[in-house]
């Protein structure tokens, strides 16, 4: 399961994600939709560690993949100098109304500083030690497919496919090529294994990119508008590949503007607007009876 807790992301003064909490269960397909600039790509990139959250944590299968966020742990806040000063050494029992008031104030007003004393640091380190995994763990489990394919232009299709399995997963060339051939076959591109990406159509490039992601045997696949850079006649072939993947039962988070497709394959639709998860509902519910005015306005424009 992917468990995103209270995710915030700012670039300088610009707040892009403003407190996103979202769970993706095993085998679930979650489609993320929303206006341009609402933070969809930033959310996906955060799951894949291409961005570091400003606040919040992301857990995968019970392991913490981001640095711990002190604001999500009341005991950490209580161990800080700031808390102690504010509580003025009064013996406040934990969870007493006054204690909770202080903890909430520290959290809401973002009062913690980088150095908060030894007990605070010890607790932060303990969370790291007990729960945090290194980036390799995440990169092996999560595959990502981008709008613009991101194939390595100086490598053949086959070299693109085997690079990460050999270097990250430490497969032998033979094992990696075997796997790559099987996957190229599934996406119907076996005959393209020795060509360079520049000679492929957009649809073919995207199918290679999907096969390349699968070559790492990820448990989760993230798609960021996988068809929006494609000519209309190529959209279908890529959606067909994604649909076959859905049927294989892999967990998926997909950002898309293809509303019909989202409705067809998603277990849940998450509607993002201005960095806030405004709605999270099964497709039938979302498309027939959106609750918020923002979702209604968005759907009126795109449907
Ligand atoms: N590295 C960055 N530095 C500064 N601003 C950024 C950065 N990445 C994204 N942004 C800004 O964050 C906001 C959200 O961007 P994001 O790409 O997540 O939106 P999106 O929902 O994926 O939009 P689209 O549908 O157009 O792809 C935008 O205003 C964007 O300009
Ligand atoms: Mg985007």
């Amino acid at each position: 399961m992917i468990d995103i807790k209270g995710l915030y992301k700012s670039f300088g003064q610009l707040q892009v994600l403003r407190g996103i909490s979202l769970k993706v269960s095993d085998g679930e397909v979650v489609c993320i939709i929303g206006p341009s600039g609402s933070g969809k790509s930033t959310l996906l990139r955060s799951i894949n560690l291409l961005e570091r959250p400003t606040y919040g944590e992301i857990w995968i299968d019970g392991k913490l993949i981001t640095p711990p966020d002190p604001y999500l742990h009341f005991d950490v806040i209580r161990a800080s100098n700031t808390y102690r000063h504010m509580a003025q050494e009064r013996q406040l029992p934990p969870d007493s109304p006054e204690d909770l008031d202080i903890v909430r104030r520290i959290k809401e007003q973002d009062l913690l500083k980088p150095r908060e004393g030894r007990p605070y640091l010890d607790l932060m380190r303990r969370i790291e030690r007990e729960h945090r995994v290194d980036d390799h763990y995440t990169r092996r489990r999560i595959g990502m497919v981008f709008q613009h394919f991101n194939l390595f232009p100086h490598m053949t299709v086959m070299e693109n496919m085997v690079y990460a399995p050999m270097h990250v997963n430490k497969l032998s060339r033979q094992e990696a090529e075997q796997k790559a051939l099987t996957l190229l076959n599934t996406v119907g591109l076996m005959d393209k294994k020795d060509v360079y990406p520049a000679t492929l159509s957009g649809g073919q490039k995207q199918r290679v990119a999907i096969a390349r992601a699968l070559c790492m045997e990820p448990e989760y696949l993230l798609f960021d508008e996988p068809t929006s850079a494609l000519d209309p006649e190529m959209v279908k072939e890529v959606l067909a590949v994604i649909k076959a993947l859905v049927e294989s039962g892999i967990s998926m988070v997909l950002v898309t503007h293809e509303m019909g497709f989202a409705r067809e394959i998603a277990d849940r639709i998450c509607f993002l607007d201005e960095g806030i998860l405004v709605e999270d509902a099964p497709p039938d519910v979302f498309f027939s009876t959106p609750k918020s005015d923002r979702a209604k306005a968005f759907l009126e424009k795109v449907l």
Side-chain angles (χ1 to χ4, degrees):
M1 179 169 85
I2 302 176
D3 188 0
I4 300 169
K5 300 184 183 185
L7 188 66
Y8 286 77
K9 178 70 186 178
S10 302
F11 296 103
Q13 293 299 305
L14 181 68
Q15 288 194 322
V16 175
L17 299 178
R18 300 187 293 155
I20 305 265
S21 293
L22 171 65
K23 289 184 178 150
V24 182
S25 305
D26 292 348
E28 210 175 8
V29 175
V30 173
C31 283
I32 299 182
I33 64 175
S36 178
S38 56
K40 304 178 299 295
S41 296
T42 305
L43 176 61
L44 275 200
R45 292 168 56 80
S46 303
I47 302 173
N48 203 27
L49 301 180
L50 294 170
E51 304 287 358
R52 296 284 172 190
T54 307
Y55 299 109
E57 294 177 348
I58 304 177
W59 295 70
I60 291 178
D61 300 332
K63 311 240 191 271
L64 181 61
I65 66 166
T66 56
D69 174 4
Y71 290 109
L72 292 179
H73 305 273
F74 278 14
D75 54 334
V76 175
I77 296 179
R78 284 195 186 95
S80 67
N81 288 337
T82 298
Y83 174 85
R84 260 184 293 181
H85 290 147
M86 288 174 73
Q88 290 168 338
E89 305 302 331
R90 275 172 297 163
Q91 298 286 309
L92 298 175
D95 300 328
S96 69
E98 222 180 328
D99 159 80
L100 279 178
D101 212 42
I102 296 175
V103 168
R104 259 191 232 113
R105 234 169 79 205
I106 292 176
K107 189 173 167 141
E108 278 159 15
Q109 298 177 15
D110 187 13
L111 298 176
L112 290 179
K113 300 170 205 69
R115 285 169 211 277
E116 284 287 359
R118 192 59 196 270
Y120 168 91
L121 279 179
D122 283 348
L123 270 180
M124 287 291 275
R125 287 202 192 106
R126 197 168 102 199
I127 297 171
E128 284 251 11
R129 201 171 54 238
E130 289 177 0
H131 302 289
R132 175 113 187 250
V133 286
D134 65 18
D135 292 2
H136 277 305
Y137 174 94
T138 311
R139 301 233 156 86
R140 278 204 303 269
R141 276 166 186 75
I142 296 187
M144 183 141 171
V145 175
F146 302 85
Q147 179 177 4
H148 294 287
F149 330 123
N150 295 20
L151 296 173
F152 305 120
H154 59 292
M155 293 184 185
T156 65
V157 165
M158 180 54 89
E159 286 162 356
N160 263 280
M161 300 274 299
V162 299
Y163 185 84
M166 286 174 63
H167 288 87
V168 181
N169 281 358
K170 307 288 176 205
L171 294 192
S172 70
R173 174 169 288 277
Q174 201 188 355
E175 287 168 309
E177 286 190 353
Q178 199 54 52
K179 194 172 298 225
L181 282 177
T182 311
L183 286 166
L184 282 177
N185 192 29
T186 357
V187 298
L189 291 172
M190 194 83 125
D191 55 328
K192 298 290 186 189
K193 70 183 173 64
D194 295 318
V195 309
Y196 286 88
T199 67
L200 299 174
S201 73
Q204 290 171 334
K205 280 183 202 163
Q206 195 58 302
R207 284 187 280 150
V208 170
I210 294 171
R212 180 177 67 171
L214 290 172
C215 219
M216 292 289 285
E217 300 188 334
E219 274 129 62
Y220 302 93
L221 261 187
L222 313 177
F223 289 90
D224 194 356
E225 299 194 28
T227 57
S228 50
L230 301 177
D231 293 335
E233 69 269 25
M234 287 166 194
V235 170
K236 250 198 203 144
E237 66 190 49
V238 170
L239 292 184
V241 168
I242 297 174
K243 185 138 184 262
L245 280 173
V246 170
E247 278 152 18
S248 80
I250 192 169
S251 317
M252 219 181 261
V253 183
L254 177 92
V255 174
T256 185
H257 289 298
E258 300 281 338
M259 295 301 142
F261 188 65
R263 186 168 193 159
E264 186 186 349
I265 64 155
D267 295 308
R268 277 157 59 208
I269 303 284
C270 289
F271 174 69
L272 218 62
D273 191 26
E274 295 182 3
I276 291 172
L277 184 55
V278 179
E279 299 203 26
D280 178 349
D284 285 348
V285 175
F286 177 79
F287 286 107
S288 62
T289 47
K291 287 196 298 280
S292 62
D293 290 340
R294 293 202 245 178
K296 281 178 204 158
F298 175 78
L299 286 175
E300 265 166 33
K301 259 189 243 160
V302 297
L303 288 183

